[in-house]
Amino acid sequence: MKNSFQNIALIGKIKSAEVAVPLLRLAEFLTARGLNVYVDTLTAEHIKDALYPALPLQELAAKVDLAVVIGGDGTMLNIARTFSPHHIPLIGVNQGRLGFLTDLTVDNMLDNIAAMLAGEYVTERRLLLQASVMRAGVEVFSGLAFNEVVVHRSQISSMVEFEVRIDGEYLYNQRADGLIVATPTGSTAYAMSAGGPILHPGLEVLELVPVCPHTLSNRPIVINSSSVLELLMHRTGDIRVRLDSHTSFDLQLHDTVIVTRHPGHAHLLHPVGHSYYHTLREKLLWNQSL
Amino acid sequence: MKNSFQNIALIGKIKSAEVAVPLLRLAEFLTARGLNVYVDTLTAEHIKDALYPALPLQELAAKVDLAVVIGGDGTMLNIARTFSPHHIPLIGVNQGRLGFLTDLTVDNMLDNIAAMLAGEYVTERRLLLQASVMRAGVEVFSGLAFNEVVVHRSQISSMVEFEVRIDGEYLYNQRADGLIVATPTGSTAYAMSAGGPILHPGLEVLELVPVCPHTLSNRPIVINSSSVLELLMHRTGDIRVRLDSHTSFDLQLHDTVIVTRHPGHAHLLHPVGHSYYHTLREKLLWNQSL
Amino acid sequence: MKNSFQNIALIGKIKSAEVAVPLLRLAEFLTARGLNVYVDTLTAEHIKDALYPALPLQELAAKVDLAVVIGGDGTMLNIARTFSPHHIPLIGVNQGRLGFLTDLTVDNMLDNIAAMLAGEYVTERRLLLQASVMRAGVEVFSGLAFNEVVVHRSQISSMVEFEVRIDGEYLYNQRADGLIVATPTGSTAYAMSAGGPILHPGLEVLELVPVCPHTLSNRPIVINSSSVLELLMHRTGDIRVRLDSHTSFDLQLHDTVIVTRHPGHAHLLHPVGHSYYHTLREKLLWNQSL
Amino acid sequence: MKNSFQNIALIGKIKSAEVAVPLLRLAEFLTARGLNVYVDTLTAEHIKDALYPALPLQELAAKVDLAVVIGGDGTMLNIARTFSPHHIPLIGVNQGRLGFLTDLTVDNMLDNIAAMLAGEYVTERRLLLQASVMRAGVEVFSGLAFNEVVVHRSQISSMVEFEVRIDGEYLYNQRADGLIVATPTGSTAYAMSAGGPILHPGLEVLELVPVCPHTLSNRPIVINSSSVLELLMHRTGDIRVRLDSHTSFDLQLHDTVIVTRHPGHAHLLHPVGHSYYHTLREKLLWNQSL
């Protein structure tokens, strides 16, 4: 990861024409400072007359030193999966309400980014997951996840059952709607809905949170992020693996899903003074009472 | 509901040839006592050479005074939905492990049923639900449920959102994977997996248990079974209503699901001394520790 | 319970001088309408110069047709325990923030009470509990509870263990910090903190909610309010029974706590249009998200 | 920590005469191998005629290379607090049922310890906490905890309220019965009863689990074990701090409890093949169903 930024990608929320105004404002601001601004091809459609070079996401990731994302946490998830393997740091600007990953606002972004370009920022490293599906010894699917990898029944019919192993050791047979393997980033997303604890985003851990387990005695478990997880579909075919509500893949009987951490990290840049706990309280109404 | 039983339906678990032996044993036992034995047409296939009259379930329900079900809780759920509107009491025999609804075993059924035919039994009344789907003022689906009515996203994609009203009053907008409206019978089924409390089966109440709600501050609520529930799909079409893991129906945007209690009850007959709390501890390992 | 009200008790929050102003305002308002106003002796100290007859709570309960309580839910709990056996309906005015039991405000009380005196109100019946402690065959303690009866270890030392029976039948041995037997009214109080479900206040049910049970497999249970509960201190003496955070009594080894519903109800009067679900959402931030 | 063991402390469960037989058996076994056996002065009382040198725990900790504890997890907690600052590894033998910390049994201990003395063991490092109470700038209490540090109301009266800070940053005001700061070791003890997740014992994290919080929207949080926690009694005096169910100290209004990790670790020695997940399933019936 570089420490000074000359080539900057600006990426807007997909299919969201209203990012054009703040994005162009930011582009002019950066250009005026002698920095090179690039956009991705989808965002370029919203700012047609502007003359910033447009590249597909993968090429963009190979070219820039920094990416600024304008949108919500969902957009950041997508960009983090693409840009993190290239070690490109990310700044998130939320269009609407405060996000966990998008902590600047359209209103305060210029001042904050000016300070951050001057070196006044904190870097937060967050881990990513990679999942692959093995079928008869062959990898038939793989992908990255920033929030979570979920195996989940694909029909709302009967429950599914599968076996979980950690580092080769038997953990349990899970009869449930599904199982979530979440990063700390994902601990405030689907894993939270399923009853999992909040994990501070800087931790190098994962959590396993069952979805509607068919037993009274389950409880989420937090494990080391270096663990190798195997989810074995011994008994169930009517099930799907899903990465970040983004990609999903239908599993078959005897498939194995392997989940490990990705060797790289996502790097989020925050203004000095950024408070994760503040976001927890504001966004989740955590521990709130009247 | 009659108090003496002359015409008895014997119903086996569907597609389960191994019910033939205990079912024939029970049929002979009843015939020897001068009682009339009937079977349903699907069960009849497993006992081909036997000469008991076979009728479709609906005709059977109109003809008999009592039904004995050999199978598991799933079979009992199905039969209860069909027979309860006809006020036919049910006795459940579990083939395998102890059930909540099937409390006799193949081994002890003859002694128990002998005593029960002699009047030594307790009757347990359990409530049923009925659900209907209104679309542009027209009912496009309806059905009965003994465990629960669930609305649930049909794809494991994004969350769904719908509004809930009780007796015409706004309750909440639910953003979640789904919402379970469970009877006391269903409180130990899917509602339990989703975190709902156990409801004693004799209570005239329902529980509303969200599935993976997108908030920290939900909590199941128990309401009167006389309530009229409306689930309004203001914002979501990609959702399905499901009755007892048995029937499901795809909803569209602006559909309303109406859930009320069915006017009748299911009547379960138990041997004297039957203990619901014993089943809770044995079957769910409730409050168990080593 | 009478339907027209001539003699009205006004009762303020204990040790709370600031109730004097609204209380006197209400007293004048009622007197001007030809009604007789009484106060309790503790409240009388705050309004010394006023000439309303002052009586101890018990005598007041025997004399009046209606009581208006100005304070919070805690004050209402206390008054409900005293007045409910006399079938005196209660109106609650909250001094501060919205309460579950005190739904009028100081600002809107005159208009609302005027309407209610004219017969425009809804009556809500709520059940109460009675608890007694049996020691060697002798009752050594008894009392009423409106929210809950709790048995709880008295020291924060080791866990306690006791047996629970329902209607003479063994339920479980509970190893925990304690056990809460809550009314529907109490389901939004301590039982909620311990993880219990919300019970609609009109239900004739109780809930048993363990406090920090020493097992993964507990789950609250909802039972009929007609049940007789016995909590048997077979193994534990270092434990206390507590009623509504108000009264507590130290238990000894071999004591039995018997909890039943009180034969009477509390009667709360609400303005027409009162919404319990609204209070749930407003006061508990139930199902709230940003 | 040394890798070969010459001087070995044998420590029995306190006030437990029945440890004498296995303890003497183990002592003879070790002596026969030329190793030096020591006992603590309390254990010595149970084996009066035996001639092993007896020392107080603190002196023993300074003298030996290894301690074998015969008892349960509670005994191990106590010894870990005393011996860990001296870097003495521990082996746990359970007298009764399987423990998380005592994984040998009296029956298999000789074979296992023989193998372990030959170097066939795995070492598990577990973190410890230290807590101190500051009053008007002066430390008035301090101690170590292996499971958890708890602040808890001392009377079962009203709720308490205190502020929590992490590394100087405001986390929340907690209105609750109490708050548990648990190590991974403690995650299967009191924190589990209060609803906390299971933390793999090798993680360098802590969890904060409220006890009966007075809000619907709490959720446990897992944080880095390097965090400095401050619990500030701004509003509450009727509260106590407790370490491992062992030591407790009454707090006053304006006290601050500071919790940090202890710089050392406890070192537990296990036979090769020891499985934490197996213990989870066996001891807690984790994820068990019939």
Side-chain angles (χ1 to χ4, degrees), chain A residues 97 215-219 281-285 288-290, chain C residues 97 215-219 281-285 288-290:
Chain A
R97 59 202 197 81
T215 168
L216 284 173
S217 59
N218 203 297
R219 188 63 68 87
R281 295 189 305 268
E282 286 298 306
K283 193 169 167 62
L284 300 184
L285 297 173
Q288 221 79 348
S289 58
L290 280 184
Chain C
R97 57 201 196 85
T215 167
L216 283 174
S217 60
N218 204 296
R219 189 62 68 89
R281 293 189 306 266
E282 286 298 305
K283 196 171 164 61
L284 300 185
L285 296 175
Q288 222 80 350
S289 57
L290 280 185

Side-chain angles (χ1 to χ4, degrees), chain A residues 192-239:
Chain A
M192 189 196 82
S193 292
I198 298 167
L199 307 176
H200 187 280
L203 296 177
E204 301 283 336
V205 301
L206 306 176
E207 66 180 0
L208 269 61
V209 183
V211 180
C212 294
H214 198 42
T215 168
L216 284 173
S217 59
N218 203 297
R219 188 63 68 87
I221 188 170
V222 181
I223 59 171
N224 202 304
S225 65
S226 64
S227 308
V228 176
L229 285 162
E230 291 167 278
L231 316 178
L232 300 98
M233 308 297 123
H234 284 334
R235 309 198 182 185
T236 308
D238 187 20
I239 194 167

Side-chain angles (χ1 to χ4, degrees), chain B residues 11-14 16 19 43 69-81 90 93 95 101-102:
Chain B
I11 302 168
K13 184 179 174 183
I14 202 166
S16 175
V19 299
T43 298
V69 176
I70 303 184
D73 283 355
T75 308
M76 277 291 269
L77 287 177
N78 291 336
I79 301 309
R81 284 193 306 269
L90 305 173
V93 179
Q95 263 188 301
L101 305 174
T102 51

Side-chain angles (χ1 to χ4, degrees), chain B residues 169-174 192 196 198 200 203 215 217-222 275 277 281 285-288, chain C residues 169-174 192 196 198 200 203 215 217-222 275 277 281 285-288:
Chain B
E169 189 182 344
Y170 174 74
L171 186 67
Y172 48 45
N173 265 30
Q174 194 60 255
M192 189 196 83
I198 298 166
H200 188 279
L203 297 177
T215 166
S217 60
N218 202 299
R219 189 61 70 88
I221 187 169
V222 181
S275 164
Y277 301 119
R281 294 189 304 268
L285 298 174
W286 186 45
N287 200 51
Q288 221 79 352
Chain C
E169 188 181 346
Y170 174 74
L171 186 68
Y172 49 44
N173 266 29
Q174 193 61 254
M192 189 196 82
I198 297 166
H200 187 279
L203 297 177
T215 167
S217 60
N218 204 296
R219 189 62 68 89
I221 188 169
V222 181
S275 165
Y277 301 119
R281 293 189 306 266
L285 296 175
W286 185 46
N287 199 53
Q288 222 80 350

Side-chain angles (χ1 to χ4, degrees), chain C residues 144-219:
Chain C
L144 293 190
F146 194 16
N147 265 344
E148 75 274 304
V149 176
V150 186
V151 293
H152 202 285
R153 58 180 180 163
S154 42
Q155 298 294 322
I156 56 162
S157 50
S158 53
M159 291 214 179
V160 297
E161 180 171 351
F162 49 89
E163 180 182 331
V164 181
R165 295 183 160 267
I166 297 188
D167 295 327
E169 188 181 346
Y170 174 74
L171 186 68
Y172 49 44
N173 266 29
Q174 193 61 254
R175 297 169 64 209
D177 278 8
L179 179 70
I180 304 167
V181 182
T183 65
T185 301
S187 72
T188 48
Y190 192 39
M192 189 196 82
S193 293
I198 297 166
L199 307 175
H200 187 279
L203 297 177
E204 300 283 336
V205 301
L206 306 176
E207 64 181 1
L208 270 62
V209 183
V211 180
C212 294
H214 198 42
T215 167
L216 283 174
S217 60
N218 204 296
R219 189 62 68 89

